[in-house]
Amino acid sequence: MNRVEGRVKVAGLATYAAEYPVEGVTYAYPVQSRIAKGRIRRIDARDALAMPGVLAVLSSEDPPRLGPGAEGELALFQSREVAYRGQFVAAAVADTYENARAAADAIVVEYEQDLHDVALRADHPNLYRPEKVNPGFPSDTVKGDVEAGLNAAETVVDVTYTTPVLHNNPMEPHAALALWDDEGRLLVYDTTQGTSSSRDLIAQTLGLSGEQVRVVSRHVGGGFGSKGTSRPQAVLAALAARAVGRPVKIVLTRQQMFDVTGYRTPTIQRLRLGADADGRLTALEHVAYEQSSTLVEFAEQTATPTRVMYATPALRTAHRLVRLDVATPSWMRAPGECPGMYALESAMDELACAAGIDPIELRVLNEPETEPDSGLPFSSRNLVACLREGARRFGWDRRDPEPGRHREGEWLIGTGVASSTYPAKRRPSKAVVTMREGDFLVQVAAADIGTGARTALAGIAAGALGVAPDRVHVELGDSDLPDAPLAGGSMGTASWGSAVVRACEHLKVNGSVGRADTTEEVARDAELARHAFGAQFAEVRVNSVTGEVRVSRLLGVFAAGRILDAALARSQFIGGMTMGMGMALMEETYTDEEFGGFLRRDLAQYHVPACADAERIEAVWLEEEDGDLNPMGSKGIGEIGIVGTAAAIGNAVHHAIGHRVRDLPITPPKILRTMF
């Protein structure tokens, strides 16, 4: 199928949150804290209010009314306490964007500043064990005796890896347009990955019922997790619209997005692995250190993929968290699995080198029969097949295992491999399918964040109804439609698609309308370990003079259930792998330890890959049947592409130069320091 929404996007007719035509619209512009910790002594808005076109100033001087459920960074202007640099402390509302911005600059905020702490370190005195990690996993797990396993091992690796703060940086900025009707119902056009959940959170924050709020988000220009929950701009637009009695629009600048739309926590990860003389693991320990804000506890599930991957009689995973004077971290594509698998798969490569075993064979040797931590059977697991097929396609048998041996002039050439995994789950969803004049209308409050959800759901419905796809029309992106979970966690298509299939089945039995609610069905899902798996291969060239790293080839081979649409799947896999390349080689946000907040606050400084950075990327998949997942037999694919890429590239860099860089990103200065 062609993309259902392809024509309207190419023609510029797809409407995003900031683009809805609304009469009488006004504009809000936020004022951000210039300290990292302290309290607001006074806010003087007199000059701002006297400026042309200014309608209102919102601040803690006169806190706007919120509901008792308002919390965290959405509880705008309710307190004079400052939790991080960049926090919204006031906002100006005016008749034009320019007037609102000028008024915001004229607002005077006086602070009482405290000493701040913004640096994550593994010996921080305030580290603690959170009760759970995202979304509800136990923080720590233990099986067997790790120390005894390490003592009995023939080969032991004890290594520490770090990953920096990373920002999602979707193409479309976070924006909102809010308006209240005469009956007190709020409509918010928002950049969100889930209209149902955003409606509920906005209603909770404002003290409204869910019926009093409608959220519309028909097109979203990327999110990668940063739009997975409502952000302050949506609440600010609603509060400002209520204050001035007119529609209010807010569009965050790229710099503001670095402060208030979430980020991936930095991590410090220590791994200890032991293997016997044959290469079989005797013990595996993975401890992750990470940060959250003083406002909200968010603990990323960094060590959880280690509970899934390899057979070992002794396994321990743990998370330690410290609450710092920073913004709250949040989801970023493949949260937990992405940084966790970077460390695990790098450590597995180090173990293979130390034991003198081929990296692929080490992984195959330690293939488990059941999920290592839980003991649950896998619904399906074809990691070994991915490794074998990838090795064949990549020409792994021609690889010289000795690092630093392949040179072409100034360039050292190396290859690396890593495994990838991501959970394959679904959540309850509703859907309605209606027959109209021979065509079919599918309605579900799903979100298309650029992944092709309309196209995938149209194909699913067409298959369930036994009709041509062009007879199916999909309506989504509106919280007034049947409730649906957000687009995240690689669960969107599986969740929405299950409801669409059941609604189509209901229509075929009951006439012109079919309805479905999969709550009970999902609750009855068999207790199985449900995961997608993959193997990723990289070839790099490292300049021995400049330290520059170029990626010559990336190959991903995936086992992700039934692939519903080949074009969409390839796009998702390659997109994830490209983002993983950015993680490996260039993406990094600096924390300003002196003043708080983040440095590198725009795309001139925060580098993401461009087409020239990837000479050749290939994504393929295996035919995999898994009838235990959902009616389609599919697994999510939006995130698994990123999971193993950084480790594969890092392992390839080590193979090229014979030295290991354990702190991402792998930049030329780090290469040169390592080599010389």
Side-chain angles (χ1 to χ4, degrees):
M1 292 175 61
N2 288 324
R3 289 284 285 261
V4 169
E5 82 285 11
R7 189 189 69 82
V8 297
K9 284 185 173 177
V10 170
L13 301 175
T15 307
Y16 293 83
E19 300 174 336
Y20 285 87
V22 175
E23 291 186 4
V25 67
T26 62
Y27 299 83
Y29 195 90
V31 178
Q32 297 180 266
S33 169
R34 297 191 177 186
I35 66 171
K37 184 181 181 181
R39 60 201 55 82
I40 298 167
R41 179 187 297 121
R42 184 176 73 95
I43 296 177
D44 187 347
R46 288 174 295 180
D47 290 346
L49 289 168
M51 296 175 71
V54 176
L55 303 173
V57 169
L58 283 67
S59 76
S60 56
E61 291 290 326
D62 183 16
R65 185 179 73 258
L66 294 181
E71 58 185 14
E73 292 171 79
L74 300 187
L76 293 175
F77 317 133
Q78 301 303 294
S79 170
R80 289 181 175 271
E81 297 298 314
V82 174
Y84 63 93
R85 186 180 180 92
Q87 178 180 337
F88 288 178
V89 295
V93 188
D95 57 349
T96 68
Y97 174 83
E98 292 78 10
N99 284 343
R101 186 164 186 169
D105 287 342
I107 296 171
V108 177
V109 184
E110 296 179 0
Y111 302 97
E112 295 175 6
Q113 187 169 356
D114 292 339
L115 294 176
H116 59 260
D117 182 2
V118 296
L120 172 67
R121 61 182 198 269
D123 62 349
H124 197 290
N126 295 329
L127 283 164
Y128 69 97
R129 182 179 72 181
E131 182 178 337
K132 64 180 182 179
V133 294
N134 177 62
F137 296 112
S139 174
D140 294 12
T141 62
V142 63
K143 179 186 75 172
D145 188 332
V146 169
E147 298 301 331
L150 293 172
N151 289 334
E154 182 75 17
T155 306
V156 174
V157 166
D158 184 343
V159 284
T160 298
Y161 302 91
T162 69
T163 61
V165 170
L166 298 175
H167 274 86
N168 310 56
N169 276 310
M171 184 182 297
E172 178 200 17
H174 287 65
L177 171 58
L179 53 154
W180 298 80
D181 65 20
D182 294 338
E183 298 178 355
R185 193 177 193 225
L186 171 65
L187 169 60
V188 182
Y189 296 103
D190 192 16
T191 48
T192 176
Q193 293 174 222
T195 57
S196 298
S197 55
S198 288
R199 171 203 61 203
D200 295 343
L201 188 52
I202 291 171
Q204 173 186 308
T205 301
L206 298 177
L208 303 173
S209 68
E211 291 74 21
Q212 291 176 284
V213 178
R214 179 187 179 194
V215 174
V216 174
S217 185
R218 294 194 177 96
H219 296 280
V220 182
F224 313 116
S226 68
K227 298 173 183 174
T229 60
S230 294
R231 297 299 180 186
Q233 87 281 347
V235 174
L236 177 54
L239 293 176
R242 187 174 66 187
V244 302
R246 290 172 60 179
V248 172
K249 179 188 296 187
I250 176 171
V251 181
L252 298 186
T253 66
R254 181 64 57 178
Q255 290 82 3
Q256 290 166 347
M257 287 168 59
F258 275 78
D259 294 320
V260 297
T261 65
Y263 60 93
R264 195 192 299 282
T265 176
T267 70
I268 302 168
Q269 301 177 61
R270 183 185 181 191
L271 287 100
R272 296 193 297 163
L273 295 81
D276 64 19
D278 295 324
R280 288 182 170 82
L281 288 170
T282 59
L284 200 171
E285 181 183 60
H286 187 173
V287 181
Y289 303 88
E290 48 199 45
Q291 72 185 36
S292 192
S293 71
T294 58
L295 289 172
V296 177
E297 180 186 273
F298 179 85
E300 187 156 319
Q301 68 278 28
T302 305
T304 59
T306 299
R307 303 171 187 176
V308 173
M309 288 305 297
Y310 300 113
T312 176
L315 173 64
R316 177 177 179 260
T317 64
H319 299 81
R320 296 296 178 264
L321 189 67
V322 61
R323 308 283 289 273
L324 300 174
D325 303 313
V326 296
T328 307
S330 184
W331 305 322
M332 183 172 176
R333 197 176 203 160
E337 280 74 12
C338 187
M341 285 291 282
Y342 158 69
L344 174 63
E345 290 302 293
S346 299
M348 286 291 285
D349 195 71
E350 296 208 42
L351 181 64
C353 292
I357 300 174
D358 179 83
I360 292 178
E361 296 308 315
L362 178 68
R363 290 167 171 83
V364 173
L365 274 170
N366 290 285
E367 175 73 0
E369 294 183 2
T370 60
E371 190 177 60
D373 180 59
S374 69
L376 290 173
F378 291 100
S379 64
S380 59
R381 178 181 171 117
N382 285 296
L383 173 59
V384 171
C386 291
L387 289 164
R388 296 295 191 208
E389 177 63 14
R392 185 188 69 81
R393 288 174 174 267
F394 201 72
W396 191 260
D397 59 339
R398 299 191 297 273
R399 178 184 192 259
D400 184 339
E402 191 67 28
R405 295 277 290 272
H406 189 178
R407 176 187 285 269
E408 294 179 1
E410 294 180 352
W411 296 91
L412 295 162
I413 300 172
T415 53
V417 64
S419 301
S420 55
T421 187
Y422 202 78
K425 299 180 180 180
R426 59 175 175 163
R427 289 182 177 174
S429 181
K430 298 178 182 178
V432 173
V433 180
T434 308
M435 184 175 181
R436 296 181 180 177
E437 300 179 356
D439 283 356
F440 299 88
L441 175 64
V442 175
Q443 294 177 302
V444 56
D448 194 331
I449 58 174
T451 54
R454 288 178 177 84
T455 307
L457 292 176
I460 289 169
L465 294 167
V467 301
D470 60 6
R471 292 179 59 192
V472 176
H473 309 282
V474 176
E475 185 179 356
L476 48 72
D478 188 332
S479 66
D480 279 358
L481 296 172
D483 282 359
L486 57 82
S490 292
M491 293 185 290
T493 301
S495 303
W496 314 322
S498 296
V500 168
V501 168
R502 300 308 183 211
C504 290
E505 293 172 347
H506 186 244
L507 180 146
K508 291 166 72 174
V509 173
N510 292 280
S512 59
V513 179
R515 303 179 185 276
D517 181 345
T518 62
T519 301
E520 293 185 4
E521 177 181 335
V522 172
R524 294 194 303 268
D525 280 352
E527 194 172 2
L528 296 169
R530 306 163 189 270
H531 306 273
F533 291 94
Q536 286 156 299
F537 295 76
E539 179 184 272
V540 302
R541 293 179 290 118
V542 182
N543 192 289
S544 59
V545 176
T546 66
E548 175 187 0
V549 180
R550 305 294 292 174
V551 178
S552 306
R553 287 191 294 160
L554 279 179
L555 167 67
V557 182
F558 303 98
R562 177 187 166 212
I563 299 299
L564 300 174
D565 185 292
L568 295 179
R570 181 177 181 275
S571 177
Q572 282 293 285
F573 288 138
I574 287 178
M577 292 165 66
T578 304
M579 203 169 181
M581 179 172 60
M583 175 185 176
L585 299 178
M586 58 192 74
E587 293 190 47
E588 180 177 23
T589 307
Y590 289 155
T591 298
D592 187 338
E593 295 190 19
E594 183 176 1
F595 296 105
F598 296 125
L599 302 171
R600 292 190 172 179
R601 295 164 49 83
D602 57 39
L603 293 178
Q605 301 172 80
Y606 185 100
H607 295 163
V608 297
C611 292
D613 291 310
E615 296 178 20
R616 178 182 169 189
I617 302 183
E618 183 182 8
V620 297
W621 50 87
L622 307 179
E623 296 295 328
E624 183 178 68
E625 296 293 329
D626 192 334
D628 292 314
L629 296 169
N630 52 61
M632 300 83 65
S634 64
K635 298 179 179 180
I637 59 174
E639 291 165 287
I640 193 172
I642 192 177
V643 171
T645 305
I649 291 173
N651 295 339
V653 169
H654 168 261
H655 184 240
I657 67 176
H659 302 278
R660 184 78 58 172
V661 178
R662 299 189 179 95
D663 305 306
L664 292 186
I666 302 170
T667 58
K670 293 177 184 176
I671 292 282
L672 295 177
R673 284 197 300 268
T674 301
M675 292 178 66
F676 304 108

